[in-house]
Amino acid sequence: MNEINNKSEAPLLRLEGLQKYFEIPGKGSLHAVDGISLDIMPHETLGLVGESGCGKSTVGNVLMNLLPATGGHAYFDGIDIVGAKGNNLTELRKKMQIIFQDPYSSLNPRKTIYSTLAAPFKVHHMAADKRDLDNKVKELARMVGLEEYVLKQYPHELDGGKRQMVGIARSFALNPSFIVCDEPVSSLDVSVQATIINLLIELQKQKGMTYLFISHDLSVVRHISNRVAVMYLGQIVELADTDEIFSNTMHPYSIALLSAVPRVEFKDRTERIVLKGDVPSPMNPEPGCRFAPRCWMSCAGKCKGADPKLEEITPGHYVACPYWKEAQEAGRELMKK
């Protein structure tokens, strides 16, 4: 995990009540992202974790203007991403990039790797001539560890790891200050995952980038992130420094997530918290804790009527659960180390 010391700085990206609803004809609104507020600091990696379908990738797509926001604001260097147009949007395209989950479908199968990496320089007129363009593309390939012969190949000729390296190289082409990493290693083998994660960490040290790292793999998130935000059904339920959230987990959902992380120390057997019931529908959700129908705490029945607020319990540690203390004590009993 990278060490940072920027808590006195202004956030690079500030989300204020960000919403993304999908209107389903005849059914209502699907609340994919429902009022998220958080800050992402310069040069840090914020891990965003949660189950599939909780809205993690939607957050990244909204921030990248790939999906229009329904409400709220997202300020990047003072520019509101929501509704950005014209010159503001063009500048945001240079400063904010994304690495997609599937390295194959995110690349044009009809274009060589050279053409893919050259495109950002051409679109933004950042190459003086053909020779300058060649030098920039080759330098970009070297930066991520791609051999020069790869530039002549097509995506189908590469393995998953090299395809993802192409995606990473493309995202770094314009030297952005913020990158959304949307589950960049979830479709790769474990050994390749380590290569990609170490590459992202090294590039961050060299370039001073800021990452929003979206994943459901807590082991990967723990390795790369400075802070972690836990998401459940469109809302942030816990946010803290990485070491803090793994050692002092407070929200019942976060506790259940951590109990499911595979462990290799057989002598330290822990009890896994199995969540019962189905995930509630995000269609027209009723007020109250979204996790209450599956909560393993006995007080879950009291969490209806109003959405719990994300409150700072200890410095930098935010939890959206009034019964976090009881959950913490019960969780420790279930998962004795």
Side-chain angles (χ1 to χ4, degrees), residues 229-269:
V230 181
M231 192 170 180
Y232 186 80
L233 275 184
Q235 298 179 333
I236 301 297
V237 297
E238 188 163 5
L239 171 67
D241 289 344
T242 301
D243 291 339
E244 169 73 8
I245 208 165
F246 277 86
S247 63
N248 191 31
T249 321
M250 294 184 180
H251 196 279
Y253 177 63
S254 306
I255 293 171
L257 274 185
L258 290 179
S259 77
V261 176
R263 296 171 181 257
V264 296
E265 299 87 355
F266 295 104
K267 62 180 181 180
D268 295 333
R269 185 177 178 181

Side-chain angles (χ1 to χ4, degrees), residues 33-306:
V33 178
D34 204 1
I36 286 181
S37 297
L38 55 82
D39 292 342
I40 302 178
M41 306 304 293
H43 316 304
E44 82 163 334
T45 298
L46 176 67
L48 184 60
V49 302
E51 293 174 276
S52 295
C54 72
K56 306 185 301 296
S57 293
T58 303
V59 172
N61 288 331
V62 170
L63 293 180
M64 292 304 302
N65 253 307
L66 299 177
L67 290 172
T70 303
H73 302 277
Y75 297 100
F76 178 85
D77 268 353
I79 299 175
D80 193 352
I81 298 169
V82 177
K85 298 178 181 179
N87 292 333
N88 282 345
L89 184 57
T90 300
E91 287 302 310
L92 288 172
R93 296 292 189 204
K94 294 180 183 179
K95 297 178 181 179
M96 304 176 68
Q97 291 291 316
I98 185 169
I99 302 170
F100 294 99
Q101 178 178 356
D102 186 349
Y104 187 66
S105 64
S106 64
L107 300 176
N108 190 330
R110 298 185 178 184
K111 288 189 175 183
T112 63
I113 303 307
Y114 179 94
S115 297
T116 295
L117 297 184
F121 300 115
K122 291 180 178 179
V123 169
H124 292 279
H125 310 289
M126 297 182 66
D129 50 34
K130 182 64 167 63
R131 184 176 180 180
D132 186 34
L133 180 64
D134 287 346
N135 290 335
K136 288 181 182 295
V137 171
K138 290 175 182 178
E139 175 57 31
L140 197 57
R142 283 194 295 270
M143 185 180 72
V144 299
L146 287 172
E147 300 85 349
E148 194 169 317
Y149 74 87
V150 172
L151 297 175
K152 299 179 182 179
Q153 296 183 313
Y154 290 85
H156 73 271
E157 298 178 280
L158 306 179
D159 59 34
K162 278 191 166 53
R163 284 197 290 259
Q164 194 60 291
M165 287 179 179
V166 173
I168 292 172
R170 180 176 57 184
S171 70
F172 275 80
L174 302 177
N175 198 30
S177 51
F178 175 73
I179 296 180
V180 174
C181 304
D182 186 9
E183 303 210 37
V185 297
S186 63
S187 62
L188 305 176
D189 293 338
V190 174
S191 59
V192 182
Q193 285 184 14
T195 300
I196 297 298
I197 291 299
N198 290 333
L199 173 63
L200 288 171
I201 292 173
E202 184 59 32
L203 290 174
Q204 185 180 42
K205 290 178 181 178
Q206 294 176 13
K207 305 290 185 178
M209 306 292 183
T210 300
Y211 293 150
L212 173 63
F213 192 89
I214 299 169
S215 180
H216 60 268
D217 190 329
L218 290 171
S219 299
V220 172
V221 168
R222 186 172 192 174
H223 181 65
I224 196 173
S225 301
N226 303 107
R227 291 188 301 145
V228 176
V230 181
M231 192 170 180
Y232 186 80
L233 275 184
Q235 298 179 333
I236 301 297
V237 297
E238 188 163 5
L239 171 67
D241 289 344
T242 301
D243 291 339
E244 169 73 8
I245 208 165
F246 277 86
S247 63
N248 191 31
T249 321
M250 294 184 180
H251 196 279
Y253 177 63
S254 306
I255 293 171
L257 274 185
L258 290 179
S259 77
V261 176
R263 296 171 181 257
V264 296
E265 299 87 355
F266 295 104
K267 62 180 181 180
D268 295 333
R269 185 177 178 181
T270 60
E271 188 70 25
R272 178 175 294 182
I273 298 174
V274 179
L275 300 180
K276 300 179 180 179
D278 296 326
V279 179
S281 172
M283 296 292 300
N284 308 314
E286 296 181 359
C289 177
R290 307 278 168 86
F291 184 59
R294 302 173 71 202
C295 187
W296 49 275
M297 292 287 294
S298 58
C299 53
K302 304 175 184 177
C303 301
K304 298 179 180 180

Side-chain angles (χ1 to χ4, degrees), residues 287-336:
C289 177
R290 307 278 168 86
F291 184 59
R294 302 173 71 202
C295 187
W296 49 275
M297 292 287 294
S298 58
C299 53
K302 304 175 184 177
C303 301
K304 298 179 180 180
D307 291 350
K309 294 182 179 180
L310 193 66
E311 298 181 342
E312 189 172 21
I313 306 302
T314 59
H317 195 152
Y318 298 83
V319 182
C321 179
Y323 302 103
W324 62 268
K325 189 173 293 185
E326 292 87 342
Q328 204 174 45
E329 292 174 358
R332 285 171 179 165
E333 287 298 316
L334 289 171
M335 298 187 296
K336 289 183 177 179

